[in-house]
Amino acid sequence: MRTVSGVGRVAALAAVVIGVALVAIVLFGGGGGYTVTATFINAGQLVNGNNVVVAGVPAGSVEKIQITDDGRARITFTVEDRYAPLRRGTRATIKQASLSGIANRYIELSMPPGERENQAEIEDGGEIGADETSTAVDLDQLFNTLDEDTRRALQDFFKGSAQQYAASSEEANAGLRYLPPALATSRRLFEELNRDTVVLERFLVDSSRLVTAVAERSDDLTNLITNLDTTTAAIGSEKAALAEAIGRFPGFMRRANTTFVNLRATLDDLDPLVTASRPVARKLDPFLDELRPLARDAKPTVRDLSEILRTRGADNDLVDLTRSIAPLADIAVDSAERNGEEREGAFQETARATRDSAPIIGFGRPYTPELFGWFDDFSTPGVYDALGGLLRFQVVISAFSQQGDLPVPIPLLDRAELFAQIADTGEVRRCPGGAEAPAPDGSNVLSEEEQERLGCEESHRAVDQ
């Protein structure tokens, strides 16, 4: 029989010790890497070695579970390098993979929204506070919060549900086949919502502000609903009239359609007018600019005038004043016997007098410059000299004649010789105003009947144009 030497035994023993040490290092060693400690209300049946996942992908494992002095669970877990380091705001939630066992728990990490480069890091060995962790709630804990009557009612609900589906299980199974697509669609919906969390947060914040603003005006909202209820009730009480209106509405719409069609043609006819008005509209723009301050300043006047016209009460506004002067209206408009004669109203008499005075006013029109000159301190306005524009003749006589280096007085003509010289011109029958040029509108040119009555001739006007 072969014997083993002492050296061989020592070498074999050393190999066994080294192997056990390597296994211990692999199984129980810290192994370095990035670790984080999170504080939970309770461990939720976590055990060492449970997974740590990010968006459903394994990202680490639970390394150590401790109980704090205040009875909370302090759990240390590792995170793979591709997710390390975690950012401040990361949330940790204990979840369960299924209901088939009590040790199938895991920690899910939810990353904070935004760019990683702009977020603070959680250093290696750092902590996630209890305010950023959530613990899974077992059904037993939920049921333990219910009293006996509620639990009995819940049992009856499940029994009733079983009886409900007893006769329609096949239809229920057929409907449940559509549940996975609905869940998948819901999953895609929530993925889209999570894709832009900043916009979602802004939407939720704005919605919160809207709801808060509405809540602050709850009294107004209540009054609105109350008034709307009153309005709806009033409309409902007039069902017959409402039905009649609805019955007439189709005919009204047909007539309105015809009106709109005709209006379209009218608008086409108005296009040339609008086109022709454009130059005038441009010229009106400066006028309207100057009119705007006038309209603004006239607001108080118009407001006061409105009060004068519409002030409530008896005999205190212009309308009541107009009603109180009925005799004046009779004198102004109605025909009646006055002073022993049948006379028309004052307005009709005034209108006839104005028409009859038109020739007199027209005859006096050439004398307008002299009239205003009289008003202006007996002077002569315009281009007239002291002789004015009414004389039938005009004489200009130089009192001196130049003989050599000295002016020599010329003896005045006697009156007969002077008028004889004027008569030689043939312009002795000028009409009133004949010393001025005829107006472009012919307003200072007398008619043939007027010339015959005054014994003047238009052809003797001193100025042709």
Side-chain angles (χ1 to χ4, degrees):
M1 181 177 180
R2 184 180 298 177
T3 62
V4 180
S5 65
V7 177
R9 292 191 183 95
V10 172
L13 181 61
V16 171
V17 172
I18 293 173
V20 172
L22 292 175
V23 172
I25 291 173
V26 173
L27 294 179
F28 305 105
Y34 178 77
T35 60
V36 177
T37 300
T39 302
F40 294 85
I41 296 178
N42 59 72
Q45 299 181 4
L46 276 176
V47 295
N48 292 340
N50 281 149
N51 287 333
V52 176
V53 300
V54 175
V57 179
S61 61
V62 176
E63 296 296 327
K64 184 168 56 176
I65 301 176
Q66 296 175 313
I67 303 300
T68 62
D69 295 338
D70 56 357
R72 298 187 179 188
R74 181 180 175 86
I75 301 174
T76 302
F77 57 88
T78 61
V79 179
E80 295 180 0
D81 294 340
R82 55 178 174 170
Y83 299 107
L86 298 178
R87 306 303 186 194
R88 293 292 177 185
T90 302
R91 296 192 60 84
T93 305
I94 299 176
K95 294 186 176 182
Q96 55 186 11
S98 65
L99 297 177
S100 58
I102 61 174
N104 55 348
R105 304 293 195 268
Y106 65 92
I107 297 177
E108 182 177 57
L109 300 178
S110 300
M111 302 301 181
E115 299 293 336
R116 289 176 56 88
E117 293 76 6
N118 301 329
Q119 299 170 347
E121 299 179 356
I122 300 177
E123 66 277 3
D124 185 15
E127 296 187 0
I128 298 177
D131 57 340
E132 295 178 338
T133 61
S134 302
T135 304
V137 179
D138 293 331
L139 290 178
D140 291 342
Q141 296 177 352
L142 176 61
F143 292 148
N144 289 336
T145 60
L146 304 179
D147 56 19
E148 183 177 357
D149 294 337
T150 304
R151 290 197 297 270
R152 185 179 299 107
L154 188 59
Q155 292 175 357
D156 295 338
F157 169 75
F158 285 115
K159 292 179 181 179
S161 299
Q163 296 176 359
Q164 176 183 359
Y165 288 105
S168 57
S169 58
E170 296 182 359
E171 291 81 357
N173 291 332
L176 291 176
R177 284 199 296 267
Y178 296 97
L179 183 60
L183 295 177
T185 303
S186 301
R187 180 177 61 82
R188 288 196 295 270
L189 172 63
F190 290 114
E191 288 178 352
E192 291 295 331
L193 293 176
N194 293 329
R195 180 172 299 177
D196 198 346
T197 54
V198 176
V199 176
L200 180 60
E201 289 178 358
R202 187 181 303 116
F203 169 75
L204 294 176
V205 171
D206 293 341
S207 300
S208 174
R209 292 174 180 173
L210 173 62
V211 173
T212 303
V214 173
E216 292 176 353
R217 305 299 296 271
S218 58
D219 295 339
D220 297 337
L221 186 61
T222 302
N223 294 333
L224 174 62
I225 296 175
T226 302
N227 295 334
L228 183 61
D229 178 68
T230 304
T231 303
T232 305
I235 294 175
S237 63
E238 298 291 339
K239 292 186 292 184
L242 184 61
E244 182 181 358
I246 295 175
R248 295 183 179 182
F249 189 71
F252 165 76
M253 291 301 297
R254 285 191 294 269
R255 293 183 180 179
N257 184 46
T258 303
T259 303
F260 293 147
V261 171
N262 296 334
L263 181 61
R264 188 183 302 115
T266 303
L267 294 177
D268 295 337
D269 295 338
L270 285 176
D271 287 340
L273 174 61
V274 175
T275 303
S277 301
R278 288 178 181 174
V280 180
R282 296 190 185 98
K283 295 179 180 180
L284 282 176
D285 187 59
F287 170 74
L288 295 177
D289 291 339
E290 297 182 2
L291 185 62
R292 187 176 296 109
L294 174 62
R296 182 174 56 253
D297 296 339
K299 287 183 178 179
T301 304
V302 175
R303 181 171 57 251
D304 295 341
L305 181 60
S306 177
E307 293 179 358
I308 293 173
L309 293 175
R310 301 180 180 179
T311 302
R312 295 181 178 180
D315 301 330
N316 62 347
D317 59 8
L318 190 58
V319 175
D320 294 331
L321 177 62
T322 304
R323 293 172 181 170
S324 65
I325 57 176
L328 179 60
D330 295 339
I331 295 174
V333 178
D334 296 341
S335 299
E337 183 178 352
R338 298 183 180 92
N339 298 328
E341 297 182 6
E342 184 70 21
R343 297 179 180 272
E344 294 182 343
F347 286 168
Q348 290 88 336
E349 292 288 346
T350 303
R352 184 171 63 253
T354 303
R355 289 193 300 270
D356 295 342
S357 63
I360 302 175
I361 297 174
F363 178 78
R365 188 266 179 210
Y367 300 92
T368 302
E370 283 69 27
L371 180 61
F372 279 92
W374 182 45
F375 292 157
D376 189 20
D377 196 15
F378 299 97
S379 63
T380 55
V383 296
Y384 302 123
D385 56 15
L387 297 175
L390 302 179
L391 294 180
R392 299 185 180 224
F393 58 87
Q394 181 174 345
V395 180
V396 179
I397 300 176
S398 177
F400 296 90
S401 175
Q402 190 73 20
Q403 293 184 3
D405 295 333
L406 298 175
V408 178
I410 299 176
L412 292 175
L413 299 174
D414 58 12
R415 183 176 299 179
E417 184 179 356
L418 176 61
F419 281 98
Q421 292 179 3
I422 295 174
D424 290 341
T425 62
E427 296 180 356
V428 296
R429 297 174 60 85
R430 289 181 183 171
C431 295
E436 63 179 351
D441 59 354
S443 58
N444 63 343
V445 178
L446 301 180
S447 64
E448 294 181 359
E449 293 78 4
E450 293 172 336
Q451 295 177 30
E452 183 178 357
R453 185 173 69 253
L454 297 174
C456 63
E457 295 182 11
E458 177 63 25
S459 60
H460 290 184
R461 183 179 292 272
V463 184
D464 295 336
Q465 59 181 7

